[in-house]
Amino acid sequence: MKLSERLMAIAHLIPPGTAVADVGTDHGYLPIYLVKNGISRKAIATEVREGPFERARANIKKAGLEEFIEVRLGWGLTPLKPGEAEVAVIAGIGGETIWKIIEKSPDIINSMSAVIVQPMKYQHKLRKALMDHGFNFIEERVVKSEDRFYEIIVVRKGDWVSYDEIDVLVGPVLKKKKTPEVLDYIKTRIERLIFRLKEVEGRNTSSAAKARESIMKEIELLREVYKNADLPDGNKYHRAASSEETGPAMG
Ligand SMILES: C[S@@+](CC[C@H](N)C(=O)[O-])C[C@H]1O[C@@H](n2cnc3c(N)ncnc32)[C@H](O)[C@@H]1O
């Protein structure tokens, strides 16, 4: 079993020796990897659908790890009791559903030392909800796997801190990380937005005007982060950013 780069990046954010809850485990690959490689001493995987639940159980049995990994059928974190796991992983699910899962189980979430989320969409909505509810952002990463970018966010319930639009859009930790991967991700986002802008251009409706305005605002904020990049080989990225003006549209 070879773990994807995305799941591998998540696995290596988990402090060794922790008990982990993997919400929406599907195949069960993450908990299997964690226990096999001595990262977790115990894991509880949850799954809302019967098919993946059975699949995870079969894979765990095949790996001979039934003693260390329990699979529970149920919604989100509701099959767990507070204190059963120290870290939760909620990955490969949309940002809105991830927030619903967090919101539904405050006692469990508040008892955890970290919650690792990897939203497939609505990343900004999830960030905003987390910020509005006093979650602190401990770490954020971008992973590119099979031509797709994934955001991985580590949070913990803490004191409320103020944030701005760039924090919501890019991430309070990520906005300070001007690594080639993060800049590549931001550049790709700008290109996609320019493509969307071209799509709504020429449409003379109030909803198109609203969409234009919001896309332009987002481009402006992303450019702000890109512009402030301070890389040793920054020229390459600055050049790429300035070619955005007339740059290629991305599908
Ligand atoms: C795309 S898979 C991701 C699997 C794995 N977490 C990963 O990142 O590779 C999403 C899985 O989450 C499960 N799921 C979605 N919503 C859920 C919820 N509220 N509670 C538990 N499982 C859920 C789905 O049934 C599906 O198996």
Side-chain angles (χ1 to χ4, degrees):
M1 177 198 85
K2 189 166 179 332
L3 217 56
S4 67
E5 284 168 67
R6 176 183 62 87
L7 286 178
M8 188 77 89
I10 294 172
H12 290 281
L13 283 167
I14 295 168
T18 39
V20 171
D22 182 32
V23 179
T25 198
D26 195 354
H27 29 63
Y29 290 167
L30 181 68
I32 291 173
Y33 179 88
L34 292 174
V35 172
K36 241 186 181 168
N37 290 279
I39 298 172
S40 292
R41 54 187 165 77
K42 161 188 138 177
I44 300 167
T46 79
E47 188 38 73
V48 77
R49 291 185 300 143
E50 291 263 5
F53 167 76
E54 293 301 345
R55 186 159 58 229
R57 290 220 306 183
N59 286 338
I60 290 158
K61 188 172 179 196
K62 205 165 139 199
L65 296 174
E66 291 153 295
E67 202 187 316
F68 308 99
I69 309 169
E70 201 187 322
V71 193
R72 297 182 188 167
L73 186 64
W75 196 94
L77 283 158
T78 59
L80 268 83
K81 288 194 218 69
E84 278 192 302
E86 298 146 277
V87 172
V89 175
I90 317 174
I93 300 177
E96 289 181 322
T97 305
I98 292 180
W99 174 246
K100 280 187 199 151
I101 291 170
I102 291 174
E103 202 181 22
K104 175 102 178 155
S105 299
D107 293 350
I108 295 165
I109 289 289
N110 294 348
S111 75
M112 287 182 160
S113 59
V115 181
I116 303 176
V117 293
Q118 183 269 298
M120 298 301 283
K121 54 182 179 175
Y122 300 128
Q123 289 83 352
H124 62 292
K125 286 191 183 175
L126 174 60
R127 269 206 195 86
K128 171 117 179 41
L130 289 166
M131 288 168 177
D132 283 345
H133 291 81
F135 283 85
N136 297 155
F137 285 61
I138 300 159
E139 175 63 310
E140 288 178 293
R141 294 216 177 142
V142 166
V143 175
K144 193 174 185 184
S145 181
E146 288 169 10
D147 262 358
R148 191 178 165 163
F149 290 98
Y150 299 95
E151 288 183 39
I152 303 169
I153 308 167
V154 186
V155 293
R156 183 192 301 141
K157 190 76 197 230
D159 297 328
W160 193 87
V161 273
S162 66
Y163 56 86
D164 60 23
E165 285 169 303
I166 290 181
D167 291 327
V168 174
L169 196 63
V170 178
V173 180
L174 223 49
K175 76 174 184 186
K176 295 182 194 147
K177 281 190 182 180
K178 304 293 169 59
T179 61
E181 188 127 72
V182 171
L183 290 176
D184 192 16
Y185 175 50
I186 292 172
K187 180 174 168 281
T188 303
R189 285 175 66 179
I190 295 172
E191 286 171 343
R192 287 195 182 132
L193 287 164
I194 290 171
F195 182 78
R196 271 177 52 204
L197 196 59
K198 282 181 184 155
E199 279 183 328
V200 291
E201 250 166 20
R203 276 193 225 155
N204 213 3
T205 61
S206 64
S207 69
K210 247 176 131 177
R212 253 194 322 271
E213 199 182 308
S214 124
I215 294 169
M216 278 159 68
K217 174 84 189 155
E218 206 172 310
I219 292 174
E220 189 191 312
L221 292 169
L222 290 175
R223 273 192 201 285
E224 192 61 36
V225 179
Y226 205 113
K227 193 174 74 192
N228 294 332
D230 185 22
L231 282 173
D233 63 344
N235 285 343
K236 182 178 146 201
Y237 292 93
H238 286 304
R239 262 205 309 279
S242 55
S243 76
E244 288 307 322
E245 311 293 344
T246 52
M250 295 233 345

